[in-house]
Amino acid sequence: LTPAEIARLLAAAEGPHRDGAGRLISSNYRLLIKVALWTGMRSGELLGLRWDDVDWHGKFVQVRRAWREGAFVAPKTATSARRIDLSAALVAELRAWRLASPTGTDDLIFPNLEGKPMSHSNLLQRGFYPALRRAGLRSIRFHDLRHTFASLLLANGEDVVRVSRLLGHASPKITLDVYSHALPTAHYGTAEKLERLLSGNILDTSAPIGIATSAEPLPKVERIERLRMVARGGIEPPTRGFSVRCSTN
């Protein structure tokens, strides 16, 4: 989904509703879909989330289990057990939902109306598919929200290793195999940046190494001293494009 389509989907998704007696009659599908898009979590991981998995002060959530085939199960792989940061706005929405959500023995963030685990079928048939239809969007899988999360991050320059960890992939190679289409393809200015780096024309040490900020070269002595400082400190230039596409990674 594009950012515009995401906005349409969330606008069309149902939030919690109560009847005249104050009883909850609809789950918070809007927030569930938003958390899926903002974290890249699998549907089973979302349905298995407990309130204790949220660190309110640190603003992150811990993925520790999943709800799959009628049971709570361990994460899919060792790397699937992971920490995912939350935005301040998303934390605020979760806090508000905690006060209104159904309570149950499992302390679930997204339970059914009785406080028990929500079935994957109900998530799709009552929440996700109706929201897609109301938004006028093409038919996609719930898992495509996870693909949207990863594709948008990679297309906007996030490091593939970081995205791989957020997704819980066993290896960045898996992430590259699935999401190589989302990686930026433009390399404009790369040769000039490397030339400035190797020639010592680093003009502003507060800027990323290899990016000059002025047309005026530094005095030779200062240029040499800065290069020595880089060498002594063992600083590796943050060449993100190289780390993503190098054949040796």
Side-chain angles (χ1 to χ4, degrees):
L1 299 178
T2 66
E5 289 173 328
I6 290 171
R8 286 165 56 190
L9 177 61
L10 292 177
E14 279 196 344
H17 296 292
R18 296 182 181 275
D19 61 16
R23 292 171 297 195
L24 197 67
I25 58 174
S26 174
S27 297
N28 197 343
Y29 295 115
R30 181 183 297 115
L31 183 57
L32 197 162
I33 291 170
K34 184 171 184 177
V35 173
L37 285 162
W38 263 242
T39 66
M41 293 171 64
R42 304 174 178 94
S43 60
E45 294 170 341
L46 288 162
L47 297 180
L49 271 184
R50 297 172 295 185
W51 289 112
D52 282 348
D53 294 326
V54 179
D55 187 307
W56 302 103
H57 179 72
K59 295 184 178 63
F60 63 85
V61 64
Q62 292 276 9
V63 179
R64 296 189 175 104
R65 64 176 186 173
W67 174 254
R68 191 163 55 246
E69 297 180 356
F72 292 110
V73 297
K76 188 176 180 180
T77 63
T79 52
S80 292
R82 61 200 187 278
R83 162 183 162 163
I84 305 174
D85 292 337
L86 304 173
S87 68
L90 191 56
V91 168
E93 290 190 57
L94 285 168
R95 283 187 183 277
W97 171 235
R98 187 177 190 181
L99 298 176
S101 65
T103 58
T105 56
D106 294 310
D107 194 36
L108 297 171
I109 295 179
F110 298 113
N112 61 20
L113 298 181
E114 289 75 42
K116 299 176 181 179
M118 183 189 299
S119 71
H120 185 72
S121 175
N122 283 348
L123 165 60
L124 298 179
Q125 301 301 329
R126 299 181 183 180
F128 185 58
Y129 293 153
L132 286 174
R133 289 193 294 269
R134 286 193 294 268
L137 297 174
R138 62 195 178 281
S139 177
I140 62 172
R141 305 167 302 165
F142 190 88
H143 199 73
D144 289 325
L145 302 182
R146 175 174 165 87
H147 290 320
T148 297
F149 165 84
S151 297
L152 289 176
L153 284 180
L154 290 169
N156 283 276
E158 185 60 72
D159 185 86
V160 68
V161 175
R162 171 66 175 157
V163 174
S164 180
R165 289 172 180 167
L166 290 172
L167 292 172
H169 283 165
S171 163
K173 182 181 183 302
I174 298 174
T175 312
L176 282 171
D177 289 343
V178 176
Y179 297 103
S180 59
H181 67 281
L183 296 172
T185 57
H187 300 280
Y188 305 121
T190 300
E192 287 74 15
K193 292 175 185 177
L194 185 59
E195 171 64 27
R196 287 193 293 267
L197 172 64
L198 297 180
S199 65
N201 190 15
I202 303 171
L203 306 178
D204 183 358
T205 55
S206 66
I209 294 175
I211 302 177
T213 58
S214 169
E216 295 297 327
L218 286 174
K220 182 176 180 180
V221 173
E222 186 176 351
R223 212 164 52 225
I224 293 173
E225 182 56 35
R226 290 195 186 184
L227 286 175
R228 285 175 178 167
M229 184 168 59
V230 169
R232 286 198 301 270
I235 301 173
E236 181 178 350
T239 50
R240 174 176 295 152
F242 293 168
S243 67
V244 170
R245 298 174 185 81
C246 181
S247 62
T248 60
N249 283 346

